[in-house]
């Protein structure tokens, strides 16, 4: 490389003079790229970059690498905590010339399989396109051959007859020249014509052409057309060439390729992208002018989900914002939907990563990789795997030092997002997972083994839990103050684990009519004031959101049908991670994401119903991106069971399972309420109980609990028939409600329909009687009752109403 340092002496053998007009260096884009590369290499040779071999010693002196750094492929990666504490990154040593490989001598993309896959697709598409229009080419070739035959016959006749003299005779007549001149021209024409007919070349050429034609006809007559095809093809090629020449003479302004150009619309659907096609698309969308074009910085490559990616440099007159403003027009020019197109900056203001696919990238669901391989996750650095974006890239939700908000309409995928979130959190033992269900606690019962706290439908207990977290936050804040630090990091997780409170169906708590004693009213005499539990919950939520994130304490709120008043403003403004599934309108979208989100293009209310689990995420690493959550089976069977079991085993191995470690939060709840909700309570159902009751509640209480859980798993319908209740109860308590416990044999697989129906009817009668007896035992000695009722509306049936069940269980109506 030429030495361009200030110490260089002019006049040496390698001296390069600087031109007087520096604009000439930047006129050529290729020269500009070369200068940019040379400048980058020169910066690497300074003290701020890598060791400079041109100005120092002959040998490179590698810089020392601290123990906290990791060297991979010549690059130094700093530990995350060192970055947080202000440690400066250590520059990597300059790679030596020995690192050069023979692949570097070839153009970019030469050994890239994705590039060759796209090139193969372009070739096959072109081949299929031209083969599919072979009839068009055959007809045009025939027309050109006929034109060539006519032109050849005309030119031959004109040559044989010296037609140019006939033209001169006509010109002489029009000018009224003397008759002797015209006669002389005619005589000269006859002499020239006789001389031409005796030329050896003309005689030989005519004889050869006639011989080839006669031979082709004779061979075709004797041996068939296939045998004569070589001669016919040769003759057809000659005539086509003559016709093409005549076509050019008649149409001098058209290129020769216009004779074979296919009509518009003959390219088929979604042809592979090429640089020419990309320039045409941008011109059609009015991004580029006719005299402008983009330049590829690397070959076009195939991408995931039938996608295509191109990286290019915009002209200097075109900005990235102008390109993004025409995104809809670009999608129209490509004949795709706008959400199938993704345009991003690629390292600089005028470099673009252009990606699109020819089919809906979210049409096919993807199963979470944790289902097949439930390995330990890194919630702190990498985040929780929740879904994939339109490019097929995995999306991770980081919950360190942030508050989180997830919302959307009912049945739009919030449950599946939460399922991915809980499974990922369960596989990191450094997280104390505290799950609070606002509705349907039975739906989350399977996560109890990895939950340090799990309960549902208890506003008073949620208040106590948040007060315990607030007390823990103040304790941790004092420790940070003593250590003169601003926040906890990853290395503090052993002593101060990530406390993560997830409140599902928060609207049930926000609209709760339960009243509690006012904590600010400390008078000893007279009745104390009461306040709504929802007001106290909102107050505590805002207080935690204001400062607890830096203390390894995170709160994630999940709600449906939110409005401006559902989420406390103080918590929302401090939420750094927001996820919105499909909403009912712009107001709900702004309530979840941020004020003005719809104006910024984050339109969660426009997510198509055809994308189950579709959501817009506004998180670190994916701001305002449309994703689809990974699928974990939850209807046919519990697809999360193996993941939770793996998480439980991992926690038990490290002594981090519920009940194995000192838990100040649960200790506080136990002291205040006398009940424990560690691991979902004594029976893991989300119902808190006394710590000494390791066998669960007594039989009578369990019956009502199981019925509530059965309703919850059915998404709390208004009523359930006894015939539908009994199978659920048999799974949860087979000792009482199974076929065997009721003295019946389950229907055999080969049993006739009549026998199976008879057995089911008998099971319903005996099970219904047994259920009534168990309910009577529970309510014996109380003033409550629960009886089966019949109904005819919506189909005849007999069973229990949810409102009656809750009243019998002592649950106050909301």
């Amino acid at each position: 490389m030429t030495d361009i340092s200030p110490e260089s002496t002019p006049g040496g053998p390698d001296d390069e003079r600087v031109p007087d007009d520096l604009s000439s260096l930047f006129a050529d884009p290729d020269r500009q790229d070369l200068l940019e590369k040379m400048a980058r290499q020169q910066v690497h040779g300074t003290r701020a970059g890598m060791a400079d071999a041109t100005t120092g010693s002959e040998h490179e002196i590698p810089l020392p690498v601290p123990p906290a750094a990791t060297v991979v492929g010549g690059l130094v990666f700093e530990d995350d905590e060192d970055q947080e504490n202000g440690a400066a990154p250590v520059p990597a040593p300059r790679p030596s010339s020995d690192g050069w490989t023979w692949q570097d001598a070839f153009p970019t993309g030469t050994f890239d399989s994705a590039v060759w896959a796209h090139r193969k697709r372009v070739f096959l598409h072109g081949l299929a396109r031209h083969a599919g229009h072979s009839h068009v080419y055959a007809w045009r070739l025939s027309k050109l051959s006929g034109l060539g035959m006519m032109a050849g016959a005309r030119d031959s006749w004109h040559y044989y007859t010296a037609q140019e003299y006939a033209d001169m005779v006509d010109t002489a007549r029009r000018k009224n020249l003397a008759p002797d001149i015209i006669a002389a021209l005619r005589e000269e024409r006859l002499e020239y014509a006789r001389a031409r007919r005796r030329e050896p070349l003309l005689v030989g050429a005519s004889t050869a052409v006639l011989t080839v034609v006669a031979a082709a006809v004779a061979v075709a007559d004797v041996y068939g057309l296939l045998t004569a095809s070589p001669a016919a093809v040769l003759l057809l090629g000659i005539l086509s060439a003559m016709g093409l020449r005549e076509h050019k003479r008649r149409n001098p302004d058209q290129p020769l390729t216009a004779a074979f150009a296919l009509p518009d619309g003959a390219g088929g659907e979604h042809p592979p992208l090429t640089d020419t096609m990309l320039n045409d698309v941008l011109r059609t969308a009015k991004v580029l002018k006719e005299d402008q074009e983009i330049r590829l910085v690397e070959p076009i490559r195939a991408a995931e989900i039938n996608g295509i990616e191109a990286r290019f440099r915009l002209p200097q007159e075109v900005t990235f914002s102008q390109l993004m403003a025409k995104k809809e027009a670009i999608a129209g020019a490509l004949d795709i939907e706008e959400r199938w197109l993704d345009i991003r900056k690629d390292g600089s203001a005028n470099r673009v990563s252009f990606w699109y696919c020819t089919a809906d990238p979210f049409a096919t669901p993807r199963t979470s990789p944790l289902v097949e391989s439930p390995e330990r996750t890194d919630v702190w650095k990498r985040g929780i795997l929740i879904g994939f974006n339109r490019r097929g890239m995995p999306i991770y939700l980081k919950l360190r030092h942030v508050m989180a908000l997830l919302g959307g309409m009912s049945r739009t995928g919030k449950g599946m997002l939460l399922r991915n979130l809980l499974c990922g959190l369960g596989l990191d033992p450094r997280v104390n997972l505290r799950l609070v269900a606002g509705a349907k606690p039975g739906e989350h019962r399977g996560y109890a083994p990895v939950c340090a706290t799990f309960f549902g439908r208890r506003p008073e207990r949620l208040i106590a839990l948040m007060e315990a977290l607030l007390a823990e936050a103040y304790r941790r804040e004092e420790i940070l103050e003593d250590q003169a630090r601003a926040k906890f990091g990853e290395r503090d997780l052993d002593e101060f684990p990530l406390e993560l409170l997830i409140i599902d169906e928060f609207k049930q708590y926000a609209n709760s009519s339960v009243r509690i004693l006012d904590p600010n009213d400390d008078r000893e005499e007279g009745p104390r004031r009461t306040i709504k539990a929802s007001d106290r919950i909102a107050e505590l939520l805002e207080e935690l959101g204001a400062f607890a994130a830096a203390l390894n304490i995170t709160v994630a709120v999940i709600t449906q049908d939110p409005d401006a008043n559902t989420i406390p403003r103080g918590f929302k403004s401090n939420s750094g991670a927001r996820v919105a599934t499909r909403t009912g309108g712009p107001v709900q979208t702004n309530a979840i994401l941020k004020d003005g989100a719809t104006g910024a293009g984050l339109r969660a209310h426009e997510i198509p119903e055809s994308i189950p689990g579709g959501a817009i995420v506004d998180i670190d690493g994916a701001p305002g991106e449309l994703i689809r959550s990974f699928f974990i089976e939850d209807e046919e069977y519990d697809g999360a069971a193996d993941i939770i079991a793996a998480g439980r085993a991992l926690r038990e191995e490290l002594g981090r399972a519920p009940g194995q470690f000192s838990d100040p939060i649960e200790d506080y709840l136990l002291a205040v309420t006398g009940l424990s909700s560690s691991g979902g309570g004594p029976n893991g159902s989300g119902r808190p109980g006394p710590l000494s009751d390791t066998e669960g509640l007594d039989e009578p209480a369990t019956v009502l609990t199981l019925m509530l859980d059965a309703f919850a798993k059915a998404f709390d319908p208004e009523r359930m028939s006894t015939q539908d209740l009994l199978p659920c109860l048999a799974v949860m308590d087979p000792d009482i409600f199974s076929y065997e416990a009721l003295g019946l044999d389950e229907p055999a697989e080969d049993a006739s329909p009549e026998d199976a129906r008879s057995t089911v009817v008998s099971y319903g009668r005996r099970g219904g009687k047994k259920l009534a007896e168990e309910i009577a035992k529970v309510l014996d000695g109380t003033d409550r009752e629960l009886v089966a009722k019949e109904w005819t509306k919506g189909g005849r049936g007999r069973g229990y109403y949810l409102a009656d069940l809750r009243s019998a269980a002592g649950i106050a109506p909301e």
Side-chain angles (χ1 to χ4, degrees):
M1 184 181 70
T2 304
D3 188 1
I4 58 174
S5 62
E7 292 81 0
S8 300
T9 304
D14 296 331
D15 179 40
E16 294 184 3
R17 296 294 183 182
V18 179
D20 295 332
D21 185 9
L22 294 179
S23 63
S24 62
L25 295 176
F26 301 94
D28 185 7
D30 294 332
R31 176 68 65 91
Q32 183 178 355
D33 290 343
L34 178 60
L35 290 176
E36 180 181 344
K37 183 177 179 181
M38 293 175 62
R40 188 179 299 111
Q41 292 177 348
Q42 189 67 13
V43 169
H44 287 175
T46 64
R47 292 186 177 182
M50 293 175 288
D52 187 355
T54 64
T55 58
S57 61
E58 296 181 358
H59 303 284
E60 296 176 3
I61 304 177
L63 297 176
V65 180
T70 304
V71 180
V72 180
L75 300 179
V76 178
F77 295 89
E78 282 296 309
D79 182 73
D80 183 63
E81 295 304 319
D82 294 336
Q83 296 284 355
E84 292 183 353
N85 295 332
V90 178
R94 180 180 181 180
S96 64
S97 59
D98 295 338
W100 184 88
T101 60
W102 60 272
Q103 291 94 337
D104 296 335
F106 293 86
T108 304
T110 303
F111 302 97
D112 192 331
S113 58
V115 172
W116 283 105
H118 180 73
R119 289 171 177 168
K120 177 181 178 182
R121 185 182 174 191
V122 172
F123 171 77
L124 293 178
H125 178 272
L127 184 63
R129 176 172 178 264
H130 293 299
H133 294 84
S134 57
H135 60 286
V136 177
Y137 292 127
W139 170 244
R140 292 186 177 181
L141 195 63
S142 300
K143 289 175 62 177
L144 284 176
S145 300
L147 183 62
M149 182 180 297
M150 294 173 57
R154 180 201 62 202
D155 293 343
S156 299
W157 176 254
H158 285 180
Y159 188 78
Y160 273 107
T161 60
Q163 187 66 26
E164 65 271 20
Y165 281 93
D167 296 337
M168 287 189 287
V169 170
D170 292 338
T171 301
R173 285 178 176 178
R174 287 195 300 270
K175 292 183 177 182
N176 297 320
L177 298 180
D180 56 341
I181 296 178
I182 296 175
L185 289 175
R186 288 177 175 173
E187 184 66 24
E188 190 173 353
R189 175 189 179 188
L190 293 175
E191 292 178 0
Y192 268 91
R194 293 191 193 98
R196 287 179 179 178
R197 286 193 288 271
R198 291 192 295 270
E199 290 179 355
L201 181 60
L202 183 62
V203 173
S206 302
T207 304
V209 171
L210 293 176
T211 302
V212 170
V213 174
V217 172
V219 171
D221 182 59
V222 177
Y223 299 102
L225 294 176
L226 184 62
T227 307
S229 58
V233 170
L234 177 61
L235 181 60
L236 187 65
I238 295 173
L239 294 178
S240 298
M242 295 170 61
L244 193 62
R245 185 186 64 176
E246 180 65 15
H247 176 81
K248 180 62 177 178
R249 187 187 67 82
R250 295 182 180 182
N251 305 278
D253 297 333
Q254 289 186 3
L256 293 177
T257 55
F260 290 93
L262 293 175
D264 293 337
E269 293 187 359
H270 304 302
L273 187 68
T274 61
D275 55 344
T276 302
M277 175 183 169
L278 184 55
N279 278 295
D280 291 342
V281 165
L282 296 181
R283 292 190 184 102
T284 303
K286 306 300 182 183
V287 177
L288 301 179
K289 298 178 181 178
E290 291 299 325
D291 59 340
Q292 293 177 331
E293 65 178 12
I294 55 96
R295 292 192 303 110
L296 294 177
V297 296
E298 62 180 42
I300 300 174
R301 66 184 66 245
E304 294 225 8
I305 324 179
N306 199 29
I308 302 172
E309 183 180 15
R311 299 178 185 269
F312 57 84
R313 189 186 299 274
L314 290 169
Q316 294 183 355
E317 300 83 4
V318 181
T319 64
F320 181 79
S321 58
Q322 292 174 336
L323 177 67
M324 290 298 294
K326 298 291 185 178
K327 186 175 179 181
E328 184 178 0
I330 294 172
L334 289 170
D335 193 24
I336 60 174
E337 294 189 25
E338 186 177 353
R339 58 187 173 85
W340 299 0
L341 174 65
D342 186 41
I343 305 175
R344 303 180 183 180
K345 286 186 179 180
D346 188 32
S348 65
N350 65 338
R351 280 178 57 119
V352 178
S353 173
F354 186 92
W355 180 97
Y356 77 95
C357 63
T358 55
D360 190 348
F362 298 113
T364 304
R366 290 188 175 190
T367 302
S368 172
L370 296 179
V371 174
E372 296 294 333
S373 178
E375 300 176 351
R376 177 171 178 172
T377 60
D378 186 353
V379 171
W380 187 265
K381 285 186 176 179
R382 195 171 189 183
I384 305 103
L385 184 64
I386 59 173
F388 59 96
N389 63 7
R390 73 193 76 198
R391 295 196 181 201
M393 300 170 60
I395 299 298
Y396 294 86
L397 176 59
K398 293 182 180 180
L399 292 178
R400 65 172 188 179
H401 297 162
V402 294
M403 299 292 165
L405 178 60
L406 189 157
M409 292 195 304
S410 179
R411 311 298 298 170
T412 57
K414 294 191 311 299
M416 191 57 66
L417 272 170
L418 179 59
R419 194 168 177 81
N420 280 274
L421 187 62
L422 292 173
C423 288
L425 291 169
L427 289 170
D428 193 335
R430 302 173 299 175
V431 177
N432 288 342
L433 179 56
R434 306 192 187 277
L435 175 60
V436 178
K440 305 185 289 293
E443 182 181 349
H444 304 309
R445 187 170 183 171
Y447 309 118
V450 295
C451 291
T453 300
F454 168 49
F455 61 86
R457 297 183 182 276
R458 290 166 176 81
E460 300 93 333
R461 191 171 186 86
L462 175 58
I463 292 173
L465 174 59
M466 297 176 75
E467 290 174 344
L469 284 173
L470 194 58
E472 175 67 11
Y474 285 127
R475 185 183 74 88
R476 294 186 178 189
E477 188 179 43
E478 290 180 0
I479 295 174
L480 278 182
E481 185 178 357
D482 294 339
Q483 297 178 357
R485 296 169 58 191
K487 59 185 177 180
F488 287 119
E490 184 180 16
R491 60 188 178 187
D492 300 303
L493 288 177
D494 291 338
E495 185 177 358
F496 303 102
L498 178 61
E499 294 286 349
L500 182 54
L501 170 60
I502 297 179
I503 308 176
D504 188 26
E505 300 293 353
F506 178 76
K507 194 171 183 179
Q508 300 294 328
Y509 291 105
N511 296 338
S512 176
S513 59
V514 175
R515 302 189 68 86
I516 63 171
L517 295 176
D518 186 353
N520 297 321
D521 185 4
D522 56 355
R523 54 185 167 180
E524 298 179 358
E525 297 181 0
R528 294 175 59 184
R529 291 193 308 268
T530 62
I531 60 173
K532 288 184 177 180
S534 57
D535 293 340
R536 178 58 176 164
I537 291 173
E539 178 185 352
L540 291 170
L541 193 60
E542 287 189 324
E543 191 170 357
L544 283 170
F547 76 103
L551 306 170
N552 285 3
I553 297 177
T554 294
V555 181
V557 172
I558 300 160
T559 185
Q560 67 180 20
D561 299 330
D563 53 39
N565 300 320
T566 301
I567 308 299
R569 176 170 293 276
F571 177 81
K572 178 185 173 183
S573 61
N574 286 301
S575 298
R578 302 182 182 94
V579 182
T581 60
R582 191 171 72 255
T583 61
V587 175
Q588 292 185 1
T589 298
N590 291 338
I592 298 170
L593 296 176
K594 56 186 175 182
D595 294 336
T598 56
L602 308 183
R603 302 176 179 272
H605 51 284
E606 296 181 359
I607 297 177
E609 295 184 12
S610 59
I611 308 180
I616 291 180
V617 297
D618 190 6
I619 59 179
D620 182 20
E625 189 163 10
L626 178 64
I627 71 165
R628 180 174 180 177
S629 59
F630 282 117
F631 178 70
I632 302 177
E633 181 61 58
D634 61 343
E635 293 185 1
E636 299 294 333
Y637 59 91
D638 187 2
D642 292 341
I643 303 175
I644 299 301
R648 175 73 184 197
L650 178 62
R651 290 172 179 266
E652 288 180 349
E653 181 182 354
L654 300 176
R656 293 285 303 149
Q660 287 186 321
F661 59 94
S662 177
D663 190 347
I665 307 300
E666 272 297 325
D667 292 344
Y668 180 92
L669 293 177
L670 184 62
V672 172
T673 66
L675 302 177
S676 173
S677 52
S678 177
N683 60 3
S685 64
R687 182 185 178 111
L691 189 61
S692 59
D693 190 359
T694 57
E695 299 299 328
L697 302 177
D698 54 22
E699 289 286 335
T702 303
V703 172
L704 297 182
T705 303
L706 295 181
M707 293 179 69
L708 287 171
D709 288 345
F711 270 87
K713 289 184 177 180
F715 302 105
D716 285 344
E718 179 187 3
R719 65 198 179 196
M720 284 187 71
S721 66
T722 304
Q723 204 73 33
D724 293 334
L725 268 172
L726 286 174
C728 298
L729 298 176
V731 173
M732 292 184 280
D733 196 346
D735 294 337
I736 297 179
F737 297 105
S738 65
Y739 277 85
E740 184 179 358
L742 295 175
L744 295 172
D745 294 329
E746 294 190 29
E749 294 182 359
D750 56 351
S752 63
E754 293 78 8
D755 293 341
R757 188 179 305 110
S758 176
T759 303
V760 171
V761 171
S762 299
Y763 175 68
R765 291 174 179 171
R766 295 189 186 184
K769 183 178 180 181
K770 184 65 175 178
L771 179 58
E773 292 175 356
E774 294 298 321
I775 293 174
K777 291 179 183 179
V778 173
L779 301 178
D780 186 23
T782 70
D783 58 352
R784 300 189 299 271
E785 66 176 2
L786 178 63
V787 296
K789 297 180 180 180
E790 292 187 358
W791 58 78
T792 57
K793 185 178 179 180
R796 188 176 183 86
R798 181 180 177 85
Y800 297 87
Y801 283 82
L802 179 58
D804 295 342
L805 175 59
R806 287 178 174 174
S807 178
I811 300 176
E814 297 183 356

